[in-house]
């Protein structure tokens, strides 16, 4: 980007052309393919359900009202998007703005990346960047037509949105203090990074029935990694053998929040570092094979483990592990763990007493954490509701360059941390942050509230989680100076519905959105969840004690926190106080707040003056669409034939013919994988296994009328060189490839006939 | 495989205009939210509007946004100066002159509604002595002197029609920021939409 920002010449090039040499060719090719898929969908040549999953796997998510309906407070209005009936998924109109999720593995950011993220928010979104509870960055109100260029600009700075949504391995998270924490076993960063990129696009992670989440933590007792609520939670541990300290992980599996939370179960108390990737791969393969594909509500890994039992699951994973073909990537990253070590921007130094600006100490108390490395600290930049403007992000990038270099991370508490701040620089950093209005104290305290997007932008939101969070934040920040210290340390987390994206189960006080019909009116409510534990990596899940009108939630927080402050025994933590007091008594404490008074104020939600309604709820996309793996292969084949046609139109006969061959190869692979999952990636192997399993041992590919004619279209060009092609010949290859792919579709339908008949 | 869309400074799709409010602004934040909802409910703008977003928790940001298909409108507080911003995102056609005029027309139309609407009780005065102009497209229009040399003649010509005399144009911002220009009326003259230029449909 810098060359453009500082450029002196006018450009009439596209982003694709400008960034061509700055982008990893594989990434560039993926984005080109996605752009073609957009075109094909517009032409109706890809079905909407398949396209929905394609875009979700590129991180392009739907948003509220994208079905073209919105309740305006009086009536439901149609939103007249100009694209008419074109859709980008079931009930999702093409022109409706969407959310772009951007994966940031373990939350690690560089200043140059922060600059580009700021630019993208400004140009394609609404000027706001949102940090999520999975260390992602999200942009809202993005038009689908803008996404290819947006992705190209990210790719040029080493960021991919691939598999940010959909039924895939989501962003791999890790404790933001990894590597600088005083209590960690070791730095989990290189392991998180290695696993994230190993599983990204891996064939074994492409056929999930639901999303899959992975987290890393360096410590057992802190909250940072939240390993207990993940499909795979990796907790760093060490063992001493023959005087040598070995690194490994306690590996937990099958955790998850959602409507019914599950605590992860221990798969193994010792997975050596060399086995982290293969064991994780084996877990993924078991999930792909045994996970539910039809009923999305029971498709997470936790249900596989519930069904099998953890002991049987361990056996199945161990057995799967033995089948894995050796992959050098399992251990290659271990040879250079030091590459992940961070370089401080400045030398360490001590904080001197004389240089402290006003209110600095209040900020330092909650927002600064000394590092293991003497003379350095981690400074937390609290982001209200996880939001910051493009200007703030750009300015933060400059502050990072000034103080910490590349050592910035997004956190699961929706904040940003600067690592390796020399202690003597903390007062200056505070002053610089204050100038940006980013020096609010209270990181990790009761005012640092986590909230999902809720009714603001989510299609499933029932109540305004962000509206409530903003109100509580205002209210508590005003009182913070006088709050009891133990109350100040509580955590509040809010979800707009039961799906728990705001992680309400693991908060001291959690809330999730519901609605109640009262006197003929629909009234926004929140279920009050008490007793969850954020510490010990999301150590326990709370339980709901009753639904309270949204407008009474601030009173709930006030009453519970006051009761806790007044009645806690010495040293008693909130969870213990909840257990000791009992939910019945706590519920009685809130009884009068549960009733909806005769007050119109209660008929609207926080921050939204419209009369409340859930009439315009949409269909959720969180689960994505369950699309069989073969569908992707066949769709990819069709796209490649189309690209071959475009090349032919441009007179590029050799490339067109090669593209036609590749299209057949992709289709053949998709079909072969249906009967032999472990078919390799090499063209020779694909053609050999396709021929053997679909044309010789069986005749699955044979057309009832044309027999084996179509398979020969592939066989005759396999191994050919694509040189000196005439346009006519290339044209025939395109036609043959089209017929081959049609035959592949017919074959796939025949293969699935019994299932379809059921 | 798709033919790339080429960026051209003379055919930008993303143009923004902002008019600051005359301080002090004594209108509660909630009133702006209510106003934007009323704009949707009563179909006060002849374009596709989608929703209202509240970003009041973010400092010096868009504060309250009226999300539209073609443009977003916001009670913008960037740089600490509160005002009405119209950020056109798509749908602009014609010459650069026409594109700039359309953006000005849209902004002035909503500014006019804002000052008169009952929900704001006449609490807003718009300062039309100057305006902030931006092209939010770093590819077509990096914030450079060269871009300014291309855009300024057209912008000056358009602005002269709105201010009645040639205003002063000053390029703003750093190289990292979008291309942006301060437009100030000469001798304190005010921007007024010529009736004939209001072509909003």
């Amino acid at each position: 980007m810098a060359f453009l920002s500082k450029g002196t010449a006018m450009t009439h090039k596209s982003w694709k052309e400008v960034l061509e040499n700055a982008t990893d060719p594989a990434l560039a090719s993926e984005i080109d393919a996605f752009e073609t898929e957009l075109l094909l969908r517009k032409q109706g040549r890809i079905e909407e359900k398949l396209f929905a999953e394609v875009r979700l796997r590129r991180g392009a998510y739907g948003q509220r009202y994208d079905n073209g309906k919105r309740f305006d407070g009086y009536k439901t209005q149609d939103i007249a998007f100009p694209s008419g009936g074109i859709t980008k998924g079931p009930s999702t109109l093409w022109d409706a703005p969407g959310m772009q999720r951007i994966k940031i593995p373990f939350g690690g950011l560089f200043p140059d990346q922060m600059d580009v993220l700021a630019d993208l928010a400004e140009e394609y979104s609404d000027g706001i960047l949102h940090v999520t509870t999975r260390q992602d960055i999200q942009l809202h109100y993005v038009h689908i037509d803008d996404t290819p260029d947006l992705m190209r600009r990210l790719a040029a700075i080493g960021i991919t949105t691939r598999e940010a949504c959909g039924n895939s391995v989501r962003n791999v998270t890790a404790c933001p203090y990894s590597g600088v924490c005083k209590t960690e076993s070791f730095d989990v960063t290189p392991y998180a990074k290695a696993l994230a990129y190993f599983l990204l696009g891996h064939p074994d992670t492409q056929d999930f029935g639901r999303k899959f989440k992975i987290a890393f933590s360096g410590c057992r007792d802190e909250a940072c990694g939240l390993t207990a609520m993940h499909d795979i939670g990796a907790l760093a541990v060490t063992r001493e053998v023959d005087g040598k300290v070995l690194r490994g992980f306690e590996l937990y599996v099958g955790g998850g929040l959602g409507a019914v939370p599950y605590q992860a179960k221990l798969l193994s108390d010792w997975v050596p570092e060399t086995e982290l990737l293969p064991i994780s791969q084996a877990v993924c393969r078991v999930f792909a094979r045994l996970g539910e594909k039809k009923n999305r509500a029971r498709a997470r890994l936790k249900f596989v483990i519930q069904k099998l039992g953890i002991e049987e699951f361990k056996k199945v994973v161990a057995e799967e592990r033995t089948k894995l073909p050796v992959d050098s990537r399992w251990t290659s990253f271990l040879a250079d763990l030091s590459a992940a070590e961070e370089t401080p921007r400045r030398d360490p130094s001590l904080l001197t007493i004389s240089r402290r600006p006003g209110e600095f100490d209040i900020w330092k108390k909650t927002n600064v954490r000394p590092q293991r490395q003497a003379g350095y600290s981690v400074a937390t930049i609290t982001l209200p509701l996880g939001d910051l403007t493009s200007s703030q992000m750009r300015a933060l990038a400059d502050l990072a360059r000034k103080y910490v270099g590349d050592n910035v991370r997004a956190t699961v508490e929706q904040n940003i941390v600067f690592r390796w701040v020399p202690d003597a620089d903390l007062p200056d950093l505070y002053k610089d942050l204050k100038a940006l209005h980013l020096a609010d104290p209270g990181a990790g305290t009761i005012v640092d509230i986590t909230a999902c997007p809720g009714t603001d932008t989510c299609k499933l939101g029932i109540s305004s989680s962000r509206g409530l969070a903003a109100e509580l934040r205002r209210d508590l920040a005003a009182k913070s100076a006088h709050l009891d210290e133990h109350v100040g340390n509580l955590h509040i987390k809010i979800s707009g519905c039961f799906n728990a994206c705001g992680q309400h189960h693991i908060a001291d006080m959690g809330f999730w959105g519901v609605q109640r019909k009262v006197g003929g009116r629909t009234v926004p409510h929140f279920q009050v969840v008490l007793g969850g534990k954020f510490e010990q990596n999301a150590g326990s899940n709370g339980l709901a004690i009753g639904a309270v009108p949204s407008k009474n939630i601030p009173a709930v927080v006030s009453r519970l926190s006051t009761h806790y402050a007044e009645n806690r025994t010495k040293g008693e933590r909130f969870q213990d106080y909840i257990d000791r007091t009992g939910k019945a008594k706590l519920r009685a404490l809130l009884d009068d707040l549960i009733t909806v008074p005769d007050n119109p104020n209660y008929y609207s939600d926080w921050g939204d003056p419209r009369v409340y309604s859930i009439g315009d709820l949409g269909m959720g996309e969180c689960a994505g669409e369950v699309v069989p793996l073969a569908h992707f292969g066949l769709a990819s084949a069709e796209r490649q034939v189309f690209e071959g046609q475009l090349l032919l139109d441009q007179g590029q006969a050799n490339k067109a013919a090669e593209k036609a061959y590749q299209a057949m190869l992709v289709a053949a692979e998709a079909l072969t994988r249906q009967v032999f999952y472990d078919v390799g990636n090499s063209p020779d192997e694909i053609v050999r296994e396709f021929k053997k399993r679909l044309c010789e041992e069986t005749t699955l590919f044979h057309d009832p009328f044309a027999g084996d004619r179509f398979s020969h279209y592939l066989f005759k060009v396999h191994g050919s060189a694509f040189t000196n092609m005439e346009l006519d010949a290339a044209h025939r290859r395109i036609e043959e490839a089209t017929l081959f792919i049609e035959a592949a579709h017919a074959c796939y339908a025949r293969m699935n006939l019994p299932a379809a008949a059921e | 495989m798709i033919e790339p869309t080429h960026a051209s400074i003379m055919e930008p799709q993303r143009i923004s205009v902002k008019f600051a409010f005359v301080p002090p602004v004594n209108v509660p934040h909630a009133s702006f939210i209510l106003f934007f909802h009323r704009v949707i409910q009563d179909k006060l703008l002849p374009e596709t509007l989608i929703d209202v977003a509240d970003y009041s928790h973010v400092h010096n940001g868009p504060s309250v946004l009226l999300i539209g298909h073609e443009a977003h409108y916001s009670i913008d507080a960037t740089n600490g100066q509160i005002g009405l911003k119209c950020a056109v995102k798509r749908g602009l056609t014609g010459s650069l002159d026409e594109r700039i005029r359309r953006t000005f027309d849209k902004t002035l139309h909503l500014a006019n509604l804002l000052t008169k609407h009952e929900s704001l009780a006449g609490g807003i005065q718009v300062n039309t002595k100057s305006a902030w102009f931006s092209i939010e497209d770093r590819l077509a229009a990096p914030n450079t002197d060269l871009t300014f040399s291309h855009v300024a003649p057209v912008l000056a010509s358009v602005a002269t029609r709105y201010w009645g005399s040639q205003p002063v144009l000053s390029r703003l911002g750093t190289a990292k920021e979008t291309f942006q220009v301060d437009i100030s009326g000469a001798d304190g003259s005010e921007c007024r939409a010529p009736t004939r230029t209001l072509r909003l449909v």
Side-chain angles (χ1 to χ4, degrees), chain A residues 4-5 7-8 10-17 39 65 70 72 74 77 79-82 95 97 115 119 122-123 125-126 141 143 146 384-385 387 389 394 398 401 437 466 608-610 643 646-647, chain B residues 1-9 14 33-34 37 40-41 43 48-51 53 55 57-62 65 67 69 72 89-90 136-140 142 144 146-147 150 175-178:
Chain A
L4 278 168
S5 299
T8 53
M10 300 301 295
T11 175
H12 293 282
K13 290 184 173 180
S14 66
W15 280 115
K16 181 178 173 177
E17 290 163 331
L39 181 67
Y65 315 127
R70 179 181 179 273
D72 71 4
Y74 296 109
Q77 285 196 17
I79 304 172
F81 291 115
D95 273 334
D115 276 341
D119 294 350
E122 208 162 46
E123 293 181 44
S125 174
D126 57 1
Y141 307 109
H143 196 287
D146 288 332
L385 312 190
D387 290 346
T389 67
R394 207 172 287 119
D398 286 339
R401 289 185 183 97
H437 300 277
R466 279 166 60 88
D608 189 342
R610 287 177 294 169
E643 289 173 353
L646 296 180
L647 289 164
Chain B
M1 292 307 303
I2 303 300
E3 280 301 299
T5 307
H6 291 79
S8 165
I9 182 58
R14 296 189 288 274
I33 296 178
L34 189 62
H37 278 289
I40 297 177
Q41 286 162 351
K43 301 184 191 299
T48 300
L49 299 174
I50 300 166
D51 198 14
Y55 288 121
H57 51 280
V58 178
H59 286 276
N60 292 351
L65 263 164
I67 305 290
H69 170 70
H72 299 337
K89 295 284 181 182
R90 62 187 56 79
E136 285 158 344
D137 183 338
R138 286 173 172 79
L139 183 62
T144 61
L146 188 63
T147 302
H150 280 75
K176 279 188 182 179
E177 293 175 290
T178 55

